[in-house]
């Protein structure tokens, strides 16, 4: 190696200073390697949390996803501040991980602010890919024919599950709490949506995804998501113009129905071509890449017609479930889900700001009263859906109701839009957030309990004649 | 559902306008869903490209990764502009995908600029995760004991492969092209590094990863990467202060050696605990999550001591290769690699700007002469390494030399730092880029040809006695 002293430098003073040396302070433009380090550190924290939380939950005989959510709360904005997001109002200095990265790289405050934004963006997208993969997997595990059989029941459960909490919540807030009409409608709307991600994950963990109850819940949650988007559009245009844009509502209903029916019809045709494509490919990922590309295209399609991306992924899974390659595909999607899905659940926990539960803050006290009411409505309004199921004697009505309870991220979207538009007062916003958090955390153990208590009951009574009757009809 | 006309609105004028309705123009703050759509669209384009390119390449009996690289060029900054990156100087308007997203969401130019930055950041990180997974997989497929056996040969190949092109390149540029000393040293340094990603992928595709030649190449490429980082530190401090910071160089050499030896020693200890951890876990991903967390931790450690993250992932793979669960783990890592690795190779192609090859531009003409010289040195300087191997009679020296040729992203890092610091003239910068692109694209077919011609030779001559001798010594 040539050393500097052996060479003559013709124009050393002409070379600008500030060239990055590996150990020197790094200028803002060279943040890319630190974004990667930030993402890698976040992933390590997420995986340690998800395994610790999941395993502990399992040891206490609770669904592992509950442990992942609680673990997320522990590392998130409510406690350790290891994983925080700008959407919670956090800056780079609020993140313990970013403080570590800044120290490691001797970074300026501006550089670490850029890195924090990028790292949060990447983790958020990875979390979204996680819930997309989750719903794709749920779709692969669901049977389109079985789902079709419970279609009417699912639709009834969804409609009751949207209208009961909406009506009870809105009217209750107006009558009991004297909340003005528009904020009351907003809060009522936030009570409507069901988080399909959390419910389906718990069902899958309990081994009840393919039961009649499980299929009704999944079907109802899908329809519920579509209804929720329509409710959001109605409420948003109400708040904006004081009128409902009926054209927009009609467009949403038509496009959503068209999408779901189109996916099913397309499925019959696509199955054959998918298999022949996968068989002709000779390079690695011959089955997985076409399948995932299809799921991504469906997710994009769903997004562009203003549905949720996860509905597209679920439809893609349903379609590919019909192919002969289902089992092989299932096995290859599993490790991908194992890696991506925990990022979603831990992030949901990390973003949940439990400080709104602190009764020492005056704003919270007003909110906690509202919250108690909203939680009661949120639970009762969904539990009744189980008793709306008809023609299914012997079905576990309590489990169906419990499965519809978690509001998850969809409820937070309502709260976020309401706050951004200035419609919601601070206590009402806090109350909605508390309601979303509690229903999300309450649903997994409740659902497990609903299935277990019923199984014990059945074990005593043996199988009821009603169940036998339905089985024969199939 | 309550309609607006049935309700009295107490304070409709107090509600601010601009509330996002799904069909209205979206303000800059609500870009998150479009970042996701942008990422999903990019992934669809990447997967279609990688499969089309890979399969075509395979049909022409060439390594699939070459097709992925060329496919990347077609969709990238050189041709279709579907996938472009800000680091190429591209803006949102240069990206066809972003134009589509802007049209879909009725977005403002400011909103789409933000989305473009975020989408590029996410795809870049996914590409980096791709090459991390690739090296983890290569590590899992490599055998530490086999690698140890060819350790001395690999070290010699690496040292020759760094010093020969560096000396020939620097001196040739000074003597033949009258380039000043500092830029000449920079260009010479850019000739040193080997892209372990491309070489190991081709070796794996050809089924030669575990051959003696393959193990020497992988080992040499790892050492080469470490040497390249030391060369970069030397060159950077030379350009900055005119002197070599010997303390920094000593630190880099010590930390790199310490890291690789430490990983191997730690491996012996970690294997046992890893297996017992994986066996005790009861939730999904019991094997995969601890393994990937370990790989991520090693990648972070490597990054923080200023090595490349991929070296850490490779070391993690080597360590876990020794466990009993290797096969199961291998099978679970494979689908993840199938999804992430193409993002890396297609991105490398997409970022390669072939417009520097256009001889109609005056700057390029000066650069093309320099480029021809650099390419010749780049190939000759690495091919000779094959003949530096000792004590291995009958080894395929040509294949080893060919395996060391691709410069890949590491060469581009040199060019980028050189340009940022103003050391490199425009023609010299273009020449380095052309050299990196051509060596990267030339290496896969050359490596394949090297192995095939030798196999034909051996098929005629039968096995040479030299090979037998070495096998007995083992």
């Amino acid at each position: 190696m040539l050393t500097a002293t052996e060479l003559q430098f013709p124009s050393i003073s002409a070379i600008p200073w500030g060239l990055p040396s590996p150990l020197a302070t790094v200028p803002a433009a060279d943040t890319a390697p630190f974004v990667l380090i930030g993402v890698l550190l976040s992933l390590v924290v997420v995986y340690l949390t998800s395994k610790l939380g999941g395993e502990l939950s399992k040891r206490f005989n609770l669904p592992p996803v509950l442990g992942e959510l609680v673990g997320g709360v522990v590392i998130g904005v409510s406690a350790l501040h290891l994983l925080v997001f700008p959407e919670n109002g956090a800056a780079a200095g609020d993140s313990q991980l970013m403080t570590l990265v800044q120290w490691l790289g001797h970074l300026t405050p501006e550089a670490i602010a850029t890195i924090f934004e990028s790292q949060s963006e990447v983790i958020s997208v990875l979390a979204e890919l996680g819930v997309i993969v989750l719903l794709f997997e749920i779709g692969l595990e669901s049977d389109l024919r079985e789902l079709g059989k419970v279609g009417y029941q699912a639709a009834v459960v969804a409609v009751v599950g949207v209208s009961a909490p909406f009506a009870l919540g809105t009217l209750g807030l107006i009558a009991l709490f004297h909340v003005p009409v528009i904020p009351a409608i907003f809060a009522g709307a936030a009570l409507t949506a069901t988080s399909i991600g959390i419910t389906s994950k718990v069902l899958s963990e309990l081994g009840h995804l393919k039961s009649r109850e499980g299929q009704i819940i999944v079907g109802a949650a899908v329809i519920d998501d579509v209804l929720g988007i329509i409710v959001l559009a109605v409420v948003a245009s109400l708040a904006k113009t004081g009128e409902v844009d009926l054209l927009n509502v009609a467009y949403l209903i038509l496009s959503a129905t068209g999408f779901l029916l189109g996916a099913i019809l397309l499925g019959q045709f696509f199955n054959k071509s998918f298999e022949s494509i996968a068989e002709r490919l000779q390079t690695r990922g011959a089955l997985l890449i076409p399948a995932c590309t299809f799921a991504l295209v469906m997710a994009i399609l769903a997004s562009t017609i203003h549905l949720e991306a996860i509905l597209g992924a679920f439809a893609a899974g349903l379609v590919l479930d019909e192919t002969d390659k289902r089992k092989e595909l299932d096995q290859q999607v599993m490790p991908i889900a194992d890696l991506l899905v925990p990022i979603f659940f831990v992030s949901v926990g990390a973003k949940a700001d439990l400080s709104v539960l602190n009764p020492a803050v005056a704003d919270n006290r007003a909110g906690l009263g509202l919250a108690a009411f909203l939680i009661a409505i949120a639970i009762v309004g969904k539990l009744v859906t189980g008793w709306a199921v008809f023609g299914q004697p012997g079905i576990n009505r309590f489990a169906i109701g419990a499965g519809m309870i978690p509001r998850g991220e969809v409820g937070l979207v309502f709260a976020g839009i309401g706050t951004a538009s200035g419609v919601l007062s601070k206590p009402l916003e806090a109350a909605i957030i508390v309601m979303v958090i509690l229903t999300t955390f309450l649903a997994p153990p409740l659902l497990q309990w609903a299935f277990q208590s019923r199984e014990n009951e059945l074990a005593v009574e043996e199988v009821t004649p009603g169940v036998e009757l339905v089985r024969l009809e199939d």
Side-chain angles (χ1 to χ4, degrees), chain A residues 212 393-395 454 457-458 461-469:
Chain A
R212 256 185 321 156
I395 199 144
R454 179 53 174 266
E457 212 175 280
L458 285 182
E461 295 180 22
E462 293 301 313
V463 180
T464 60
V467 172
E468 281 301 305
L469 204 70

Side-chain angles (χ1 to χ4, degrees), chain A residues 53-54 57 62-73 198 201-202 205 345 438 440-446 448:
Chain A
S57 205
L62 288 163
V65 69
L66 182 67
E68 297 189 6
L69 287 168
V70 174
V73 170
I198 287 164
K201 178 80 180 166
V202 177
E205 284 175 355
F345 288 113
L438 278 189
T440 302
F441 286 78
L442 197 68
L446 205 62
Q448 181 174 28

Side-chain angles (χ1 to χ4, degrees), chain A residues 374-386:
Chain A
L374 289 184
I375 291 166
I377 298 295
I379 292 173
V380 172
K382 291 287 184 181
L383 273 184
V384 296
T385 61

Side-chain angles (χ1 to χ4, degrees), chain A residues 55-179:
Chain A
E55 291 289 327
L56 271 176
S57 205
K58 181 100 183 168
R59 297 297 190 279
F60 285 108
N61 215 7
L62 288 163
V65 69
L66 182 67
E68 297 189 6
L69 287 168
V70 174
V73 170
V74 173
I75 63 162
V77 66
S78 303
L80 296 181
H81 281 83
L82 282 165
L83 191 68
V84 295
F85 293 86
E87 60 198 83
N88 282 123
D94 299 325
S95 160
Q96 298 298 331
L97 280 190
M98 284 299 119
T99 310
L100 175 65
V101 170
Q102 185 174 14
W103 177 77
L104 281 174
H106 310 283
L107 299 166
T108 62
E110 299 79 48
I112 201 69
T114 317
I115 293 169
F116 177 58
E117 289 283 336
S118 300
Q119 173 258 12
S120 304
E121 192 71 65
V122 173
I123 296 295
S124 296
V125 170
L126 286 177
E128 301 225 45
L129 290 176
V131 69
I132 286 175
V133 171
L134 175 66
L135 266 285
F136 181 52
E137 203 185 17
I138 299 289
L140 276 177
E141 287 174 26
S142 299
D143 190 323
L144 191 57
R145 272 177 291 258
E146 290 299 315
L147 212 57
K149 276 183 209 158
V150 296
Y152 287 112
Q153 276 83 15
V156 169
V157 167
V159 169
V160 173
V162 165
S163 44
F166 180 75
L168 289 175
T170 306
L171 297 176
L173 284 175
I174 295 171
L176 302 177
F177 292 87
H178 311 293
V179 173

